[in-house]
Amino acid sequence: MGVVPDRIERETVLRHPAERVWAALTTAEGLSQWFGSVAEIDLRPGGRAYFRWDDLDAESVATITIVDPPHRLAFRWPVEGWPGDDAPLTLVTFTLEPVAEGTRLRLVESGFAQAADHVARSAHQANSQGWAAELGDLETYLDAAA
């Protein structure tokens, strides 16, 4: 089976200033346009973020850990597919860096290796595909709103 990768890393350059990208990541209005169907966020360390995907009939609750506008946002949320309420948490970190073309957005989700092998593998695969799709949706949303 091999070792379950512990992290997902994605990097993309968005043709928009960091402040616009930050708003898309940190406001309910912004998030609900690209990250799920419904989003609520209490933007402070220890604050709660709620995400719902109507098409998947899925939802997730995250706890904000880092708020450093407009540079870094991090939250912890449960590993997908874990039975019960005591799922291990992964850490999702968005880092924004101004570049000539706009903003380099780096996403890292780490902590999969702490889950049971089959659950971790499935969650890692699902989230790898999910983040690729969601970041594509983010770019589409920002470009359309420009």
Side-chain angles (χ1 to χ4, degrees):
M1 292 284 285
V3 176
V4 175
D6 189 54
R7 325 161 54 87
I8 296 169
E9 298 187 44
R10 295 276 180 273
E11 195 170 286
T12 184
V13 174
L14 301 162
R15 296 180 301 277
H16 303 278
E19 290 72 19
R20 286 217 43 229
V21 178
W22 178 258
L25 296 176
T26 59
T27 65
E29 299 78 13
L31 284 163
S32 63
Q33 296 299 315
W34 68 276
F35 193 67
S37 320
V38 177
E40 299 167 14
I41 185 166
D42 178 7
L43 190 63
R44 60 183 176 81
R48 174 183 174 276
Y50 167 83
F51 309 105
R52 172 155 183 83
W53 293 265
D54 288 342
D55 55 331
L56 303 173
D57 193 26
E59 56 186 33
S60 187
V61 175
T63 302
I64 309 289
T65 56
I66 296 171
V67 179
D68 177 17
H71 310 292
R72 208 151 66 108
L73 172 71
F75 59 79
R76 291 191 177 279
W77 66 356
V79 169
E80 180 72 27
W82 189 269
D85 294 331
D86 59 344
L89 303 177
T90 58
L91 178 65
V92 177
T93 305
F94 294 96
T95 306
L96 286 66
E97 176 193 348
V99 291
E101 306 88 335
T103 303
R104 176 178 291 119
L105 176 65
R106 185 160 187 267
L107 161 87
V108 177
E109 183 173 5
S110 60
F112 290 96
Q114 65 187 315
D117 190 61
H118 64 286
V119 174
R121 188 174 307 282
S122 159
H124 186 277
Q125 184 174 5
N127 286 22
S128 288
Q129 296 167 347
W131 283 122
E134 301 283 18
L135 292 175
D137 290 347
L138 170 61
E139 186 165 12
T140 301
Y141 160 63
L142 286 169
D143 288 350

